[in-house]
Amino acid sequence: MSGYITRQEAGSFMGVATKYVSKKPDESGFIHWSPEEDQIWHDLVSRQLSCIEGRACDEYIAGLKLLDLPRDRVPQLEEISRVLRQVTGWECARVPALIDFDRFFKLLANKQFPVATFLRRRDEFDYLQEPDFFHEIFGHCAMLTNPAFAEFTHTYGRLGYAATKQERVYLARLYWFTVEFGLLRRPDGLRIYGGGILSSPGETEYAVSGDKPVYRPFDPVDIMRTPYRIDIMQPIYFVLDEIEQLYELAHQDIMSMVHQAIELGLHKPMFPPKDKEVVGDYV
């Protein structure tokens, strides 16, 4: 399973509480990470770089090169923001472990990507439900150097901030199957651009296995009608032909697609309920 839940699902759908607390910067804006956290960061990055080789899309790899993430220590947010500002006008915003829908969308609308400044402990090295610093920085920030991806994320934030509660639920599925769990088709096979996959070794291997999940062409209305669960390997992925499709989508009438999806209703889930007594175990 991915091991990650986006902040919008956690805050608005699942009611998840977190035992982690984001670190606060000192007066100069510097966040003090411990030697143990530096080592955890090193181990996470080293493992995942090996895992994504030949599986991550070229756009993501190009973004990683631009970010030039340190291996021996946890980077400072300003190091990441400095690169993002230069290439796409984005920056990172330090947030608590979980934030609500309103703040999430407002930050994206202002080209600020929310990053919780805590890192998983060693005993949760392989699985963590909350989106930690590694997930946000390693999983997502490299793609924010790509103009098409950055434009789509910005538009998504602006639309989400103005949307109703019902509209936001449908928009959340669009985010899930693109920013978190998106795939690209290349002549030599599938490639990953979604941060929820790229920060998870298990899902990285599973997502491009070719024989386990269902792969569907990219269709925003179809996506917004597709339920998902946060705690399993995704049974379905939607595949772009080119990352520029996200730029094109950003300049289309996405909200009319939302209303079309609402009118058509949800597809039948491709997974069993988590618990028959639990309400809202999928979105």
Side-chain angles (χ1 to χ4, degrees):
M1 69 190 71
S2 71
Y4 298 101
I5 173 173
T6 61
R7 218 169 266 105
Q8 51 181 314
E9 286 94 41
S12 299
F13 296 137
M14 308 303 292
V16 173
T18 177
K19 55 183 172 292
Y20 287 95
V21 177
S22 288
K23 288 177 173 285
K24 295 181 179 180
D26 63 19
E27 293 180 356
S28 65
F30 189 88
I31 295 176
H32 294 271
W33 299 94
S34 69
E36 181 182 3
E37 288 167 326
D38 285 337
Q39 186 61 50
I40 289 173
W41 169 264
H42 168 273
D43 294 348
L44 285 167
V45 171
S46 297
R47 178 178 70 170
Q48 199 59 19
L49 283 174
S50 176
C51 188
I52 66 173
E53 187 174 353
R55 297 183 174 108
C57 68
D58 292 342
E59 293 83 354
Y60 174 83
I61 297 300
L64 271 187
K65 290 180 180 178
L66 287 173
L67 293 180
D68 192 22
L69 297 174
R71 297 273 198 100
D72 60 338
R73 61 174 176 83
V74 184
Q76 296 294 312
L77 285 181
E78 179 55 29
E79 294 178 87
I80 310 302
S81 292
R82 190 179 302 121
V83 176
L84 294 180
R85 290 191 200 104
Q86 292 174 351
V87 292
T88 57
W90 277 75
E91 62 183 7
C92 296
R94 186 184 67 84
V95 299
L98 298 175
I99 60 176
D100 62 22
F101 252 139
D102 280 344
R103 189 174 181 194
F104 177 81
F105 283 120
K106 186 175 183 179
L107 286 170
L108 296 186
N110 290 321
K111 294 188 176 181
Q112 295 177 304
F113 192 76
V115 178
T117 50
F118 72 88
L119 195 63
R120 71 194 67 185
R121 297 191 306 259
R122 180 69 64 179
D123 62 352
E124 293 189 302
F125 189 82
D126 293 326
Y127 176 82
L128 184 68
Q129 189 176 46
E130 300 95 326
D132 73 339
F133 192 88
F134 172 74
H135 168 73
E136 305 289 32
I137 297 299
F138 188 90
H140 287 300
C141 286
M143 284 304 299
L144 283 171
T145 66
N146 179 269
F149 183 91
E151 177 77 0
F152 168 73
T153 309
H154 181 218
T155 298
Y156 178 85
R158 291 190 295 104
L159 294 176
Y161 189 63
T164 66
K165 182 177 180 179
Q166 183 186 31
E167 290 168 341
R168 286 175 172 183
V169 173
Y170 281 78
L171 284 171
R173 299 190 189 98
L174 183 61
Y175 189 93
W176 184 262
F177 286 111
T178 55
V179 176
E180 291 290 350
F181 290 92
L183 295 178
L184 277 166
R185 192 177 303 281
R186 288 290 181 259
D188 55 348
L190 295 170
R191 295 293 181 269
I192 305 162
Y193 73 90
I197 309 175
L198 289 165
S199 55
S200 167
E203 193 117 16
T204 294
E205 182 176 351
Y206 167 85
V208 295
S209 62
D211 59 345
K212 296 177 182 178
V214 172
Y215 302 103
R216 286 185 183 166
F218 186 78
D219 181 328
V221 175
D222 192 27
I223 288 172
M224 289 186 280
R225 298 179 62 204
T226 303
Y228 63 86
R229 259 179 61 180
I230 67 171
D231 60 337
I232 59 173
M233 294 287 193
Q234 301 304 301
I236 182 171
Y237 298 95
F238 291 87
V239 185
L240 292 171
D241 292 319
E242 298 292 341
I243 201 70
E244 283 71 24
Q245 286 178 262
L246 292 180
Y247 181 87
E248 295 168 2
L249 178 59
H251 293 272
Q252 296 172 2
D253 189 352
I254 294 176
M255 294 312 296
S256 70
M257 301 178 191
V258 171
H259 297 151
Q260 184 181 353
I262 292 173
E263 184 177 349
L264 291 171
L266 295 182
H267 295 306
K268 182 179 178 180
M270 297 180 64
F271 48 78
K274 183 177 180 180
D275 188 327
K276 292 183 179 180
E277 296 181 359
V278 174
V279 177
D281 60 346
Y282 66 84
V283 180

